[in-house]
Amino acid sequence: SQQGEEDPQALSIQEGENATMNCSYKTSINNLQWYRQNSGRGLVHLILIRSNEREKHSGRLRVTLDTSKKSSSLLITASRAADTASYFCSGGSYIPTFGRGTSLIVHP
Amino acid sequence: GAVVSQHPSRVICKSGTSVKIECRSLDFQATTMFWYRQFPKQSLMLMATSNEGSKATYEQGVEKDKFLINHASLTLSTLTVTSAHPEDSSFYICSARAEQVDNYGYTFGSGTRLTVV
């Protein structure tokens, strides 16, 4: 079953603004991962947050995890045009599965 | 570390021919690799799980005779699209799990854009 559904499907912001995207999943997880996909490319692993963590930072990325609500959020602060991409989450399971992703467009 | 190399990046073939896509783990051993297919603005749909030294496990609805998967070594898995048709045109991506899952999670190839004409 699909372990990660992103919301919103599309997000359009201006450079310098923050971008927040959400992820919901269905079953219990050990960890949750966020990935980025540039157009026509493979996925790049951004960050992994374990089920016993509530928040994690990596550079301009901040990820939260609420296991009680089975949800996670990815915040990109001070966005740049180069952040334009699709972002996917995947609940930790042996086989990574994905939703449709959030398509982020950052206008210069 | 944990790099997956996928080739070719783009391929155009004639209808009825076969196309082979390679997925290599460059600096780690991958006993399991995954093959996905992605249509424009859609999610990655898992096609099959490739296991080194054994038969691949295909997802429901994926024709195993059409999408041949071979995982003959710990660093190489191949997907062959046999007798390709225009409806097979898509973006194919492979993935492998590195040992250091906490650091790397799953590593993906850069994808192969297949166009069948």
Side-chain angles (χ1 to χ4, degrees):
Chain A
S1 63
Q2 196 168 283
Q3 268 293 62
E5 192 66 48
E6 301 83 3
D7 174 70
Q9 288 191 16
L11 184 59
S12 181
I13 60 174
Q14 294 295 129
E15 208 166 31
E17 295 180 340
N18 295 340
T20 300
M21 51 205 87
N22 304 296
C23 168
S24 60
Y25 57 92
K26 296 176 181 176
T27 62
S28 295
I29 58 172
N30 293 323
N31 62 68
L32 186 134
Q33 301 169 55
W34 283 91
Y35 294 84
R36 165 194 170 126
Q37 182 182 32
N38 285 66
S39 181
R41 304 289 294 176
L43 273 67
V44 174
H45 182 250
L46 292 177
I47 194 166
L48 179 152
I49 185 167
R50 295 190 185 87
S51 60
N52 62 353
E53 297 176 310
R54 292 295 168 261
E55 189 172 309
K56 195 165 183 177
H57 296 251
S58 177
R60 293 185 295 113
L61 305 180
R62 182 172 80 97
V63 170
T64 64
L65 180 64
D66 187 335
T67 53
S68 66
K69 295 181 179 178
K70 291 187 170 61
S71 67
S72 173
S73 69
L74 171 67
L75 168 68
I76 303 175
T77 61
S79 63
R80 305 167 182 168
D83 294 328
T84 294
S86 291
Y87 293 81
F88 296 87
C89 66
S90 182
S93 68
Y94 178 68
I95 302 175
T97 56
F98 305 90
R100 286 186 151 193
T102 292
S103 175
L104 172 66
I105 297 176
V106 181
H107 300 279
Chain B
V3 175
V4 170
S5 175
Q6 184 174 344
H7 292 281
S9 58
R10 291 177 181 272
V11 59
I12 300 173
C13 71
K14 291 184 177 180
S15 199
T17 62
S18 296
V19 173
K20 180 184 285 188
I21 303 170
E22 290 189 349
C23 183
R24 293 180 185 273
S25 57
L26 296 186
D27 49 3
F28 66 99
Q29 294 184 334
T31 55
T32 303
M33 290 185 177
F34 307 98
W35 287 96
Y36 297 84
R37 179 174 181 173
Q38 185 180 34
F39 291 106
K41 299 189 186 302
Q42 297 292 316
S43 177
L44 282 75
M45 300 303 299
L46 180 67
M47 298 175 66
T49 301
S50 168
N51 303 296
E52 187 268 335
S54 65
K55 291 182 180 180
T57 302
Y58 290 82
E59 294 299 299
Q60 190 172 10
V62 178
E63 299 176 57
K64 62 179 181 180
D65 294 331
K66 180 166 188 61
F67 298 100
L68 299 179
I69 291 174
N70 184 280
H71 195 155
S73 77
L74 287 171
T75 58
L76 174 65
S77 176
T78 61
L79 168 67
T80 301
V81 182
T82 63
S83 186
H85 289 102
E87 57 265 32
D88 298 324
S89 297
S90 189
F91 192 59
Y92 294 87
I93 307 175
C94 67
S95 171
R97 180 178 177 274
E99 287 290 325
Q100 307 91 327
V101 66
D102 282 1
N103 293 328
Y104 303 122
Y106 290 85
T107 303
F108 288 79
S110 55
T112 297
R113 172 73 60 193
L114 171 63
T115 303
V116 184
V117 298

